[in-house]
Each structure stands twice: as C-alpha cells, then as structure tokens.
Amino acid sequence: MSATSIASTARGPDSGARAARTYLVRTLGCQMNRHDSEHLAGMLEQAGYVPATGQDLLDGAADVVVINTCAVRENAAGRLYGNLGQLAAIKNRRPGMQIAVGGCLAQKDRAGIIERAPWVDVVFGTHNLDALPVLLERARHNDVAQVEIAESLQVFPSTLPTRRESVYAGWVSISVGCNNTCTFCIVPSLRGKERDRRPGEVLAEVEALVGAGAIEVTLLGQNVNSYGVEFGDRGAFAKLLRACGTIEHLERIRFTSPHPAAFTDDVIAAMAETPTVMPQLHMPLQSGSDRILRAMRRSYRSDRFLGILDRVRAVMPEAAITTDIIVGFPGETEEDFAETLRVVEAARFAAAFTFQYSPRPGTPAAELPDQVAKAVVQERFDRLVELQERVSFEDNLRQVGRVVEVLVSEGEGRKDGASHRVSGRAEDNRLVHVGLPADDPGDPRRDDPRDSRRPRPGDVVTVQVTRAAPHHLVADSALSGGRFSVRRTRAGDAWASRERARLGLGDDDHSHDGGVDGGIVHLGLPARRSG
C-alpha cells in the first residue's frame, strides 16, 4: 500500500473529512534508537498522521502509540511491559487506538510480545522500520495483530523520511550493525553485521541538515571508527571527519561511539586539525581489568586504552572524555574491580555511564559460571559511582573561570524557568546552566522574543563559568556584570520559525533564515558527491 493511500485511510474508513489520526513515539534506549524514532515519526507524518498534542505516553491523547525498545539492559523488558500494562487500560476506554512495538526488544522477542500483551496491534523489528505505516493499516483493516520481523536490513534507515527532534542539532548514521563479538552484548544479533553508508551519502545528509538550519551534527554508529571496512577504506572515518569540517555553516561535529581496538592516530589527527570537530570523546572502557576484558572479548587492554587518552589530550588538552563501564561481569573478583578503579582514577573521565551487569539471554556471558552476587555488584557499583562523582567534580571545578561558548538547547534545564536561566552544551559537551541578565521592568524589549539579549534554542551564548557541580556547570556571570554575549544564529532562526509554525503565527524574522521550516526532512540518496 502506498503512502498516499495510507494517508487517506488514516482519516478513518468511513469519512474523508474526519480529523487525521494522531501518533506518539516513545524511545527506550540509546541515541541510535532515538534517531530511529525520528524516522518512525517521519514515516507516520508522510502517511497522514499528526503528532499528538499530549506528550505523556499514558495520557491517552494519541490514536497510535509506538514504543521503540532497547534490549541491552535487563530492565528494558520490565519498562516495556510495565508501559504496555498501563496502555491496556487506556485502549479499553478508547476504541480504535493502536499500539505498536519496535526496536531491539521487538527483534528479539518477536511474537512473544503479542503472547504477553495481546492488546498490542503491531510488532516490527530493527531491519524493517519502513513497514510501520502499512502494518498499522493492515492491523486496522484485518482486526488482527501484525508481526513482521525481517532477518536482514531491508531499507537503510537514513533513506526514510525523518521528523527531527531538533532543528539546531541532529544525528546522522554513518553505519548500522556491529561486527564485534563482545560476550555481554546482544546488539550484533539484533542489528546485524555492520553496513556502511558511502561517504557521499553521509555528506549529502549532513548538508541537508545544515541547509535546514542545524549547526551541530553527531555522526552515529555502533563503532564509528571501523567505518569504511565494508568498502575497503580503513582511513574512511578520519577522511569523513575532515570532509564534514569543510561544510559551510556547520559549527560543531561530534561522533559516537568509537571502539578502542580500532581507534587510530589518523582519527586523533583529524579531530585536532578540524576546527569544527568538538573537543570531546566518548569511548567505552567497560572494565579496567585485562582479564575481564579478555572474557568480554574486548580486543584491547587497559594500557592501550589509557594510551589513546594520552594521545588525544596531547593534541586536544581541553578535551572532555566520557565512557561506559560495566560492574560485576561474571567472574569479576575484587582484584579485577580494583583495576577498574585504578583506570578510572588515571583516566580522569569527565563523566561515566556506569551499569551493573545483567545477563542477556542469547549472549555468551549469560552462560558463564561465576555470576557475581547481586549484593556484591551493588557494593562495587556504589564505590565506582562515588569515585567517578569525585573525579567529575574535581574536573568541573577546574572549569570555573573559563569562558565557554554554549549552544542553547531545549528541555535540558528542568528548572530554567524558575531560575531565570537557559541551558545548553559547551564545546566539550559539558552541560552548562546560564543565568540571564536581570530584566529592567521599564525596558520596552522586556517581553519581545526578538530581544537580542534573550537566547533562543540554537543560539550561542558566550559566558564565564562561575560554579561547578559533578554533572553540570553554572555560568551566572551575567548577573554580576561579567561576561555575557548572545550570538543569534541560523539555528536559532530555524527554531523560531518552527515555533511560529507550531503556533500558527506568521514568519516575521528572516534575518538568518535559509528557508527552513522545521518539518520533515526528506532524504534520498543524491549522487552529487562521489566517494
């Protein structure tokens, strides 16, 4: 069934005048999942659905609820079925409501989701995101649940229509899947072998994003620095970083996540020599114990890991480095854990995402002997968190007094309204809460959104850091007459244009606007670039 025919039936089988059906997509998981959710939203809108006004999964405001799942952690299944249980009651009160489940857990559990939650209408996997609109319509027409799980990638997700969460920053996938065989990880069996996009396709998508107003792009892949192996160019990732650095109006380039085993000096050189590549690196450690790394099938050792950090900091001293760490992998001894603490102390991570090991059925580690007792894992986890909190706080304290450029974001500062602040990310990706200059009640610009002193999401604020906490910085320099300036950007204009469209207002400010509308970005595979 075509998108056009779905669009017509999305308004109801008995009346073309009926209001379009509404949708809500909720994401459980990583940035890759969040980017997949942008594709799901884009396809639904192309098929005639409109976003629900309510954003709470359980407020019953949507005709179609899509849950895009993760399967990496054990609690992912608990979160899914907990949400589905609550949605069952809403669906009972709302005839015609549909529930769809996609993502990694759907790829893994398949029809088992319908068996546990028979009120679910559609189950689809990681390899066939494009099937969602047709499956929803088929479930409505046949009044029976639809389960469709492809065994290999059907359509590269980046070719699908996309409803971007943000107009000022965006994700671009350079590859999907993973060729590694880490014993704790279920991702390769759910996402498949690594598939790389051609450089020209990646650059065309980046240019399209920038053309729509974005000034920051994050390149995504399970192992970004192994990019190019599929088409025979092991230096492709460094070349891609440099090529992105030539794109006009693109101010910030980030990437996640590299694998330490494939991290090469040409990538470090590209980071240092490309001004728009940000001084930030997220690289998973997983364990500081070489014995545990071998058991994990992580093909590097702690000395190599620390050596990479040393080489990065030698050319980018201001780089903020973050990581992932697993505590309690099967067979981990107190001596192994002490090695993790040693490496964390030496690495001086700006932040660490710490996890308690949970066995995932279907992974080799789940069958290993010597599973560590829960109480032991918890005690070690608490010690690791305490150490990293101290290291993070010490690192952030060193930022006090620095002048930083903050790309103002939307929704990162939950207390911004009460504290008269805006929040965003510095160049090294640290979260910064920025105090705004005090209002003069008699100033006629006080309530004017065009007031250049008032940064919008997508604008860049230059401020001096005044205070530090373990997980964020505060820059209240404007309140004491210190450094504070706002640079209005194309990205801020794009955000304002989207807000005016959302509110049904006219577009009254085109000072930097390059024709952006903040809507669906339709990306095919243009052949303007070779590569």
Side-chain angles (χ1 to χ4, degrees), residues 355-405:
F355 305 93
Q356 297 185 33
Y357 171 77
S358 58
R360 307 308 293 133
T363 62
E367 306 301 323
L368 290 176
D370 302 323
Q371 300 283 327
V372 183
K374 171 65 176 173
V376 174
V377 175
Q378 183 67 55
E379 190 272 337
R380 290 176 185 167
F381 178 81
D382 292 342
R383 274 192 283 157
L384 174 61
V385 169
E386 182 180 9
L387 170 60
Q388 184 55 53
E389 291 273 305
R390 174 176 63 78
V391 171
S392 296
F393 187 38
E394 290 171 353
D395 194 42
N396 278 354
L397 283 173
R398 285 191 287 271
Q399 311 305 312
V400 174
R402 283 188 61 195
V403 174
V404 297
E405 288 192 347

Side-chain angles (χ1 to χ4, degrees), residues 444-456 459 488 495-496 500 505 508-509:
R445 300 175 299 174
R446 185 170 185 246
D447 297 315
D448 187 347
R450 294 170 296 183
D451 182 357
S452 61
R453 302 169 305 167
R454 294 178 175 273
R456 308 159 299 179
D459 288 337
R488 308 275 277 191
W495 178 87
R500 286 190 291 272
L505 303 175
D508 59 356
D509 182 3

Side-chain angles (χ1 to χ4, degrees), residues 25-38 40 57-58 65-84 86-87 100-106 113 126 165 187 190-191:
V25 179
R26 272 293 171 264
T27 310
L28 310 177
C30 64
Q31 287 175 314
M32 194 74 75
N33 270 27
R34 291 176 64 187
H35 191 30
D36 283 349
S37 291
E38 291 183 331
L40 296 173
L57 183 70
L58 303 175
V65 172
V66 183
I67 304 180
N68 190 15
T69 64
C70 172
V72 173
R73 311 305 307 164
E74 188 175 24
N75 65 356
R79 291 178 65 192
L80 169 65
Y81 290 108
N83 284 327
L84 290 178
Q86 293 173 292
L87 284 171
V101 178
C104 290
L105 198 62
I113 292 175
T126 58
E165 285 184 14
V187 167
L190 302 179
R191 292 276 183 178

Side-chain angles (χ1 to χ4, degrees), residues 68-327:
N68 190 15
T69 64
C70 172
V72 173
R73 311 305 307 164
E74 188 175 24
N75 65 356
R79 291 178 65 192
L80 169 65
Y81 290 108
N83 284 327
L84 290 178
Q86 293 173 292
L87 284 171
I90 297 171
K91 187 173 181 179
N92 282 337
R93 302 193 302 268
R94 183 167 186 164
M97 178 183 177
Q98 290 184 290
I99 300 169
V101 178
C104 290
L105 198 62
Q107 187 78 23
K108 173 180 170 291
D109 288 358
R110 306 181 177 225
I113 292 175
I114 300 293
E115 293 170 6
R116 287 187 61 175
W119 54 92
V120 170
D121 300 276
V122 170
V123 177
F124 62 101
T126 58
H127 298 311
N128 60 328
L129 304 182
D130 58 306
L132 175 61
V134 169
L135 293 174
L136 286 168
E137 184 58 27
R138 192 184 299 160
R140 291 180 68 213
H141 183 272
N142 297 342
D143 196 25
V144 63
Q146 302 294 307
V147 178
E148 188 171 299
I149 306 293
E151 298 303 328
S152 60
L153 195 65
Q154 304 299 296
V155 177
F156 209 104
S158 294
T159 65
L160 300 172
T162 307
R163 175 68 181 188
R164 300 278 179 176
E165 285 184 14
S166 165
V167 293
Y168 49 84
W171 298 301
V172 173
S173 292
I174 67 173
S175 64
V176 295
C178 181
N179 291 338
N180 292 309
T181 57
C182 302
T183 56
F184 58 83
C185 185
I186 199 169
V187 167
S189 66
L190 302 179
R191 292 276 183 178
K193 291 292 186 181
E194 182 174 321
R195 295 278 304 277
D196 294 335
R197 300 175 69 193
R198 298 296 298 187
E201 296 171 2
V202 174
L203 292 171
E205 183 175 354
V206 174
E207 288 174 341
L209 266 177
V210 173
I215 60 175
E216 177 177 297
V217 166
T218 301
L219 304 177
L220 291 180
Q222 296 297 145
N223 296 301
V224 289
N225 52 337
S226 63
Y227 171 74
V229 171
E230 186 182 24
F231 53 82
D233 185 356
R234 292 185 178 274
F237 184 59
K239 295 174 186 175
L240 184 64
L241 288 177
R242 292 182 187 274
C244 286
T246 68
I247 295 175
E248 189 177 8
H249 302 306
L250 179 58
E251 299 187 16
R252 296 184 172 198
I253 302 166
R254 305 188 191 278
F255 60 89
T256 191
S257 292
H259 193 292
F263 205 98
T264 50
D265 286 346
D266 63 333
V267 172
I268 297 175
M271 293 171 65
E273 295 165 11
T274 309
T276 48
V277 174
M278 293 293 95
Q280 174 229 342
L281 175 65
H282 180 81
M283 189 165 64
L285 168 65
Q286 305 302 9
S287 175
S289 163
D290 290 349
R291 191 182 73 84
I292 294 299
L293 288 173
R294 281 192 293 271
M296 289 177 167
R297 290 189 200 152
R298 301 284 288 180
S299 48
Y300 57 89
R301 300 297 173 255
S302 59
D303 284 350
R304 171 174 170 76
F305 186 95
L306 290 172
I308 294 171
L309 304 196
D310 288 342
R311 295 199 299 279
V312 169
R313 286 171 171 147
V315 295
M316 304 177 76
E318 73 281 21
I321 300 174
T322 56
T323 196
D324 299 331
I325 302 172
I326 296 172
V327 177

